[in-house]
Amino acid sequence: MTHSDRPEAPYHKDEGSLQDLIQFVSRRRTLGMLGTLAFGASSVAACGGSGDGGSTSTSVATSSSSSSSASSSSSNSSSSSSSTSASGTCTTFSNETEGPYPGDGSNTVSGSIINALAISGINRSDIRTSVGSASGTAPGLPLTLTISLVNSGTGCTPLAGYVVYIWHCTRDGLYSLYSSTLTAQNYLRGIQVTDSSGKVTFTTIFPGCYTGRMPHIHVEVYPSLAAATSYANKIKTTQFALDRTVCSTVYSTVSGYSASTTALNGITFATDNVFSDLSSSQLAAQTISLSGDTTNGYTGPITLGIKI
């Protein structure tokens, strides 16, 4: 894999990084203001990475909605809060960058808008295969992810009827629809409507690791299935982290993940340009609780708190 095939290398400039640059500047400005008011000194925090998943060109669609999303994305974890209810405690997730490969209609590849939300069959539980007119299956160790969406502003009550959209890289660290070898694939992307308990379950593969980022899964939340057609309607953008120890075990044991071992050795949560500004409790809340093994795969629940 060449350097240009490794997405989201920190601060690498390309045509797909404009939105992340806006978010980076906005986050720096916001954190500096907060630090001046609270401590009389500036606060500094890194934000989402950028990069090119291949030789195709990527540009960002511009609109008032996009600008609003960029300015509110990647908020510092100090603004997060926890709520407690009879069912337990939940944490309001930090806003994080969607990165350059969201597939939500907010940017283009080679002049064409990339919107996986509009693909027939994208509403599914198993996201390991491509849908619509595409065909293909992403190889990798199975991962079953159960997300509980709750309203952290009202005592962690379940949010039924909302839509959760997730996407992540392949075991090689590439993204469908964007990376030059995967523009004809749309796997490892999917949406689901939360049930009466606010839950959705996705079957996918264990994500790989690439230069500049800790292993992660991107998430967007939409208020309804009817609204889950464009980034303009999303109400939350964040990211899930994966436990470093489990990642190291998978990458060093399971066939096909060897390149991820090298990438993981070069990054930590403290140097990751998205997770580095989270408090320890915030990072713990945004990290999937994994159980399983390198033969049968892993399962992981996570409670996603958002304020409605």
Side-chain angles (χ1 to χ4, degrees):
M1 185 186 306
T2 64
H3 175 75
S4 63
D5 288 326
R6 294 186 181 275
E8 292 189 73
Y11 318 131
H12 174 72
K13 293 183 179 180
D14 70 354
E15 294 176 320
S17 63
L18 175 59
Q19 191 168 8
D20 287 337
L21 181 59
I22 294 171
Q23 293 167 327
F24 174 75
V25 172
S26 175
R27 175 186 251 186
R28 283 274 181 126
R29 182 180 301 155
T30 300
L31 292 175
M33 291 173 63
L34 288 173
T36 299
L37 292 173
F39 307 106
S42 296
S43 297
V44 178
C47 80
S50 63
D52 183 15
S55 59
T56 53
S57 62
T58 306
S59 59
V60 178
T62 57
S63 71
S64 57
S65 297
S66 178
S67 298
S68 174
S69 173
S71 63
S72 64
S73 212
S74 302
S75 64
N76 186 273
S77 58
S78 62
S79 65
S80 66
S81 61
S82 296
S83 299
T84 303
S85 70
S87 60
T89 300
C90 61
T91 299
T92 302
F93 271 48
S94 175
N95 295 321
E96 306 291 1
T97 176
E98 67 270 32
Y101 314 109
D104 58 6
S106 61
N107 63 8
T108 65
V109 171
S110 300
S112 298
I113 294 176
I114 302 300
N115 190 0
L117 300 174
I119 297 174
S120 175
I122 200 66
N123 184 359
R124 69 298 188 25
S125 176
D126 192 334
I127 64 173
R128 292 175 294 180
T129 59
S130 290
V131 292
S133 60
S135 63
T137 300
L141 185 70
L143 170 64
T144 301
L145 175 62
T146 298
I147 304 167
S148 297
L149 184 66
V150 299
N151 187 349
S152 57
T154 59
C156 311
T157 53
L159 291 172
Y162 285 70
V163 167
V164 177
Y165 169 41
I166 70 168
W167 72 96
H168 63 82
C169 71
T170 66
R171 67 181 183 182
D172 301 309
L174 303 177
Y175 284 87
S176 67
L177 297 175
Y178 291 87
S179 297
S180 58
T181 57
L182 297 180
T183 55
Q185 301 295 340
N186 53 54
Y187 46 53
L188 307 184
R189 300 176 182 273
I191 68 171
Q192 279 194 78
V193 180
T194 58
D195 63 17
S196 59
S197 299
K199 295 182 183 296
V200 293
T201 297
F202 289 97
T203 299
T204 184
I205 65 162
F206 202 96
C209 181
Y210 50 83
T211 302
R213 286 302 317 277
M214 285 294 291
H216 61 282
I217 294 176
H218 292 271
V219 190
E220 288 181 350
V221 178
Y222 291 82
S224 67
L225 184 59
T229 58
S230 167
Y231 73 100
N233 302 323
K234 65 182 178 179
I235 58 175
K236 186 71 175 182
T237 306
T238 190
Q239 295 183 24
F240 298 149
L242 286 89
D243 180 81
R244 184 186 184 89
T245 300
V246 175
C247 289
S248 180
T249 299
V250 170
Y251 299 158
S252 63
T253 305
V254 181
S255 176
Y257 286 93
S258 58
S260 292
T261 297
T262 301
L264 185 64
N265 288 338
I267 188 73
T268 66
F269 282 114
T271 58
D272 182 88
N273 56 8
V274 169
F275 297 128
S276 59
D277 68 340
L278 299 180
S279 67
S280 57
S281 60
Q282 183 71 20
L283 180 59
Q286 291 186 204
T287 301
I288 302 166
S289 179
L290 295 168
S291 61
D293 56 60
T294 56
T295 300
N296 301 301
Y298 285 82
T299 61
I302 190 164
T303 298
L304 170 54
I306 63 174
K307 285 187 176 181
I308 302 298

